[in-house]
């Protein structure tokens, strides 16, 4: 009897062939913590003993979540009407909002997701999304419909609040004002630049200034520490040869394989709100010919893709220049520098996750 031939993974797909249509209903339904943070909790947040602000933030957030409990609305009984003549206080005995101020990789998203999981309210009364996803929701639904949709919530968590786009910041600030009036509690994070960590409340001051009328409703919590993605870990592996990346793509089930410049061009034709759907089912991203991004618009689209890949824990194997050379010095010192530093940090972590894919190709 002839031996059964070994199975061969299907040829890799290409992100450049994907342009999904995402209905507005999906944008709302997906306002939950990303898979990486689906099961996190305050208990499994590993605090750094040398950074007492981390443990202090955990206790403050536990108290905030506890004050959000109570009442039929919080326990999944009677859902509130879309609008109320008199908005009840969102948080008894404390501020209506919490803002987590800190550098990259100190665990702010972990804590924000833990707050949402801990808050005693039905899942449909809690929403979690990045600043970009929230602006995309407004673009898809319109401002008034977004207010109507979210005003029935007990808690809205906004990760990576962007302070570098005045127009979007004013838009979201206006939206949050409407939600606070409706009794929605708020929690948000943003990043302090690595070079600004010694300047006290730099990012918190920026945040509170940008949201002007809402600032009195927020309590700022500073979280100090190192980027956990690189704490005590070896440096990210250098880029690989094209041949290794291509071999890994063909040997890895569910992998995609793209030429980096072609992918950047494709991103310009797909709305960033659809980048998450574009990554559906992808188990690894393999890129050949990585080069520095040519302009700011391209760079900002790449940042969104990096966020969606990181949310889904998709390893990235690449050839070409290292990820810390994606953005020019001018970009890294400009108005969008926070986004670029975050993208470098996250892509570096995903490149480390992909090291095993390359080693498997070497061993064959």
């Amino acid at each position: 009897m002839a031996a059964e031939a070994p199975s061969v993974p299907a040829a890799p797909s290409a992100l450049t062939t994907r342009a999904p249509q995402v209905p507005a209903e999906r944008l709302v339904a997906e306002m939950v913590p990303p898979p990486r943070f689906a099961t996190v909790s305050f208990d499994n947040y590993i605090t750094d003993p040398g950074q007492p602000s981390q443990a202090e933030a955990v206790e403050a957030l536990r108290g905030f979540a506890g004050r959000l409990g109570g009442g039929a609305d919080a326990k999944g009984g009677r859902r509130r009407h879309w609008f109320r003549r008199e908005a009840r206080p969102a948080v008894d005995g404390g501020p209506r909002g919490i803002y987590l101020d800190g550098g990259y990789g100190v665990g702010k998203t972990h804590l924000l997701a833990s707050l949402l999981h801990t808050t005693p309210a039905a899942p449909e009364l809690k929403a979690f999304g990045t600043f970009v996803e929230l602006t995309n929701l407004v673009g898809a639904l319109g401002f008034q419909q977004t207010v109507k949709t979210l005003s029935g919530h007990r808690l809205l968590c906004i990760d990576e609040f962007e302070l570098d786009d005045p127009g979007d910041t004013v838009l979201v600030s206006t939206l949050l004002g409407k939600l606070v009036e409706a009794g929605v509690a708020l929690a948000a994070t943003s990043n302090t630049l690595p070079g600004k960590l010694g300047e006290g409340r730099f990012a918190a001051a920026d945040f509170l200034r940008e949201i002007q009328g809402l600032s009195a409703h927020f309590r700022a919590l500073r979280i100090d520490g190192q980027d956990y993605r690189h704490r005590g870990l070896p440096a990210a592996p250098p880029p690989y040869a094209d041949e290794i990346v291509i071999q890994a793509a063909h040997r890895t089930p569910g992998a995609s394989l793209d030429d980096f410049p072609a992918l950047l061009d494709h991103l310009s034709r797909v709305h960033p709100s659809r980048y998450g759907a574009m990554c559906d089912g992808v188990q690894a991203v393999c890129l050949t010919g990585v080069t520095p991004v040519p302009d700011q618009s391209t760079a900002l689209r790449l940042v969104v893709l990096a966020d969606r890949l990181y949310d889904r824990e998709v390893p990235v194997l690449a050839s070409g220049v290292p990820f810390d050379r994606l953005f020019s010095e001018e970009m890294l010192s400009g108005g969008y520098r926070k986004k670029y530093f975050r993208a470098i940090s996250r892509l570096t972590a995903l490149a480390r996750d992909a090291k095993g894919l390359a080693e498997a190709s070497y061993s064959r």
Side-chain angles (χ1 to χ4, degrees), residues 169-181:
T169 301
V170 170
L171 172 69
V172 173
S173 297
T174 305
L175 171 65
L176 298 185
K178 296 291 186 181
L179 297 180
V180 166
E181 291 175 4

Side-chain angles (χ1 to χ4, degrees), residues 156-179:
L156 172 63
C157 295
I158 309 167
D159 201 18
E160 300 160 8
F161 200 103
E162 304 290 4
L163 304 175
D164 43 32
D165 188 318
D168 282 348
T169 301
V170 170
L171 172 69
V172 173
S173 297
T174 305
L175 171 65
L176 298 185
K178 296 291 186 181
L179 297 180

Side-chain angles (χ1 to χ4, degrees), residues 15-253:
L15 295 179
T16 51
T17 65
R18 300 182 171 204
Q21 298 297 320
V22 183
E25 294 77 12
R26 173 171 171 174
L27 295 178
V28 177
E30 290 186 344
M31 291 194 72
V32 296
R36 182 181 288 268
F37 301 101
T39 59
V40 298
S41 67
F42 293 131
D43 291 336
N44 60 29
Y45 175 75
I46 302 175
T47 60
D48 183 344
Q51 303 291 347
S53 62
Q54 295 183 6
E56 292 167 3
V58 169
E59 290 309 305
L61 289 168
R62 286 185 189 275
F64 184 75
R67 292 194 299 274
L68 286 174
D73 293 336
K75 296 178 181 178
R78 177 179 55 84
R79 185 177 177 87
R80 285 181 285 142
H81 295 296
W82 291 121
F83 296 101
R84 304 176 65 92
R85 292 184 180 274
E86 295 183 4
R88 58 168 174 72
V91 185
D92 298 327
R96 295 188 181 187
I98 288 284
Y99 167 70
L100 304 182
D101 171 35
Y104 300 89
V106 296
K108 299 186 301 299
T109 302
H110 183 127
L111 291 174
L112 191 67
S114 299
L115 171 64
L116 182 132
H117 295 320
T118 303
T119 296
E124 65 270 17
L125 299 182
K126 300 180 285 187
F128 184 108
T130 65
F131 181 89
V132 172
E133 289 170 329
L134 192 58
T135 58
N136 287 339
L137 184 66
V138 175
L141 299 182
F143 183 84
Q144 294 300 332
Q145 185 61 38
T146 302
V147 172
K148 183 177 180 180
T149 299
L150 296 180
S151 64
H153 285 63
R154 185 69 169 155
L155 172 67
L156 172 63
C157 295
I158 309 167
D159 201 18
E160 300 160 8
F161 200 103
E162 304 290 4
L163 304 175
D164 43 32
D165 188 318
D168 282 348
T169 301
V170 170
L171 172 69
V172 173
S173 297
T174 305
L175 171 65
L176 298 185
K178 296 291 186 181
L179 297 180
V180 166
E181 291 175 4
V184 181
L186 307 173
T189 73
S190 189
N191 288 314
T192 300
L193 283 172
K196 298 291 186 178
L197 286 173
E199 299 183 12
R201 306 300 287 264
F202 172 82
D206 274 4
F207 177 83
L208 297 177
R209 182 182 67 249
E210 293 289 350
I211 61 173
Q212 300 178 9
L214 291 175
S215 61
H217 298 302
F218 277 86
R219 174 187 177 186
L221 297 177
R222 178 57 183 262
I223 306 174
D224 300 298
Q226 299 177 345
D227 187 339
Y228 80 92
R229 289 183 282 266
H230 312 300
R231 189 190 306 161
L233 295 173
Y240 296 92
D242 284 350
E243 294 77 12
I244 294 298
V245 174
I246 294 171
Q247 289 177 21
H250 282 271
R251 295 182 184 278
T252 304

Side-chain angles (χ1 to χ4, degrees), residues 15-19 258-276 278-279 287 293 297-306 308-309:
L15 295 179
T16 51
T17 65
R18 300 182 171 204
D258 290 275
D259 172 67
F260 186 70
L263 177 60
L264 294 183
D265 183 62
H266 181 66
L267 293 180
S268 69
R269 297 189 294 273
V270 179
H271 192 275
S273 66
R274 295 152 60 190
Y275 289 1
M278 191 170 69
C279 299
L287 302 171
V293 293
S297 295
T298 302
L300 292 173
R301 288 190 288 267
L302 180 61
V303 167
V304 177
L305 178 63
R308 301 292 80 78
L309 292 174

Side-chain angles (χ1 to χ4, degrees), residues 310-334:
Y310 183 78
D311 289 346
R312 290 160 172 76
E313 301 181 292
V314 179
V316 179
L317 189 69
S319 67
V321 303
F323 287 135
D324 60 5
R325 288 171 51 193
L326 280 172
F327 309 110
S328 68
E329 288 298 324
E330 182 180 3
M331 291 179 183
L332 293 177
S333 61

